[in-house]
């Protein structure tokens, strides 16, 4: 029932990582944006760009394919149904429920996959500013503005992405925890493939 005590910063995170495909890039699109941002900042070569996009793309595809396989294997309900039926009939999530099962979190699994690939390519300490949604029209319904977000690592961003779905009230912690673990594992499998020699 975190929704009842959200701070303004948590509301901003919940809104920022919505990545609503009706208005913005999807979550994988957001990860490609982060890859592009990192490649530009590092002045990467053509081959580094090609390899990074390939690794990110394969990881995200595998992450989402497995995520949806598990969603329909475990078919877990979301907080909006459980809380309303068993705890508080007046409760509403801060962010609307997607029309598919909860476990594991798609946002968490793809964010972890991207973070694993980008950390491998650019290092554990890589600071950047995510401005993808900065300047978008304010979410008047929730009274939240879209602000650029600064990070000191890709994993800092991945954890915020996962947490944002908890703040939004559409995932439980275990959905995010499993997503982060499996996303990392999937990306590590991609990194273990035979890529070009350095």
């Amino acid at each position: 029932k975190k929704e009842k005590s959200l701070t303004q910063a948590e509301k901003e995170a919940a809104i920022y990582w919505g990545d609503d495909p009706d208005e913005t890039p999807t979550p994988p699109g957001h990860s490609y944006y982060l890859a592009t941002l990192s490649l530009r900042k590092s002045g990467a070569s053509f081959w580094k760009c090609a390899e990074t996009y390939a690794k990110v793309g394969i990881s995200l595809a595998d992450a989402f394919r497995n995520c949806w396989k598990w969603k329909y294997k475990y078919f877990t309900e979301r907080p909006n149904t459980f809380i309303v039926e068993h705890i508080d009939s007046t409760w509403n999530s801060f962010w609307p429920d997607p029309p598919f099962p909860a476990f594991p979190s798609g946002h968490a699994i793809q964010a972890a996959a991207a973070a694993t690939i980008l950390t491998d390519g650019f290092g554990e300490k890589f600071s950047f500013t995510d401005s993808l949604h900065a300047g978008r029209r304010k979410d008047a319904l929730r009274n939240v503005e879209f602000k650029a977000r600064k990070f000191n690592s890709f994993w800092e961003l991945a954890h915020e992405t996962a947490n944002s779905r908890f703040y939004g009230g559409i995932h439980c912690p275990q959905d995010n925890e499993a997503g982060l673990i499996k996303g990392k594992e999937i990306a590590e499998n991609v990194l273990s493939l035979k890529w070009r020699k350095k």
Side-chain angles (χ1 to χ4, degrees):
K1 294 168 64 170
K2 173 67 176 169
E3 189 273 338
K4 293 195 178 232
S5 61
L6 287 176
T7 65
Q8 190 63 23
E10 290 168 341
K11 290 178 181 179
E12 289 171 3
I15 292 298
Y16 193 86
W17 295 104
D19 289 331
D20 181 355
D22 287 338
E23 297 188 34
T24 72
T26 60
H30 202 144
S31 289
Y32 279 111
Y33 164 84
L34 295 169
T36 302
L37 184 155
S38 305
L39 290 163
R40 286 177 175 166
K41 180 178 178 181
S42 65
S45 68
F46 171 82
W47 294 110
K48 172 83 168 184
C49 292
E51 188 172 303
T52 299
Y53 286 128
K55 289 176 178 177
V56 169
I58 295 168
S59 296
L60 294 180
D62 281 359
F64 269 104
R65 182 186 66 80
N66 280 292
C67 184
W68 256 254
K69 176 181 72 177
W70 294 323
K71 280 181 181 292
Y72 285 95
K73 176 180 179 180
Y74 298 109
F75 220 96
T76 59
E77 63 183 317
R78 292 186 182 270
N80 238 351
T81 55
F82 184 86
I83 292 173
V84 170
E85 183 174 351
H86 300 286
I87 301 172
D88 181 354
S89 62
T90 65
W91 186 81
N92 280 310
S93 59
F94 184 70
W95 190 256
D97 279 359
F100 41 80
F103 182 88
S105 164
H107 274 69
I109 199 169
Q110 74 88 32
T116 302
I117 297 298
L118 296 175
T119 299
D120 180 74
F122 302 98
E124 292 184 7
K125 299 294 183 183
F126 189 87
S127 61
F128 57 94
T129 300
D130 182 338
S131 301
L132 180 63
H133 299 310
R136 278 181 58 194
R137 185 177 67 251
K138 177 180 179 178
D139 186 318
L141 178 64
R142 299 170 186 87
N143 192 32
V144 177
E145 295 185 11
F146 293 90
K147 300 176 181 177
R149 309 190 71 73
K150 296 181 180 180
F151 300 96
N152 293 313
S153 73
F154 298 109
W155 274 100
E156 183 184 346
L157 179 144
H159 283 286
E160 181 178 281
T161 305
N163 288 335
S164 75
R165 305 301 83 200
F166 175 62
Y167 302 151
I170 62 173
H171 277 294
C172 298
Q174 65 265 23
D175 302 341
N176 293 328
E177 290 162 10
L180 291 170
I181 291 168
K182 299 309 284 186
K184 182 175 187 289
E185 180 183 302
I186 288 165
E188 285 174 342
N189 289 338
V190 172
L191 290 172
S192 71
L193 298 173
K194 291 184 179 180
W195 297 92
R196 70 185 179 93
K197 293 181 179 179
K198 302 293 182 185

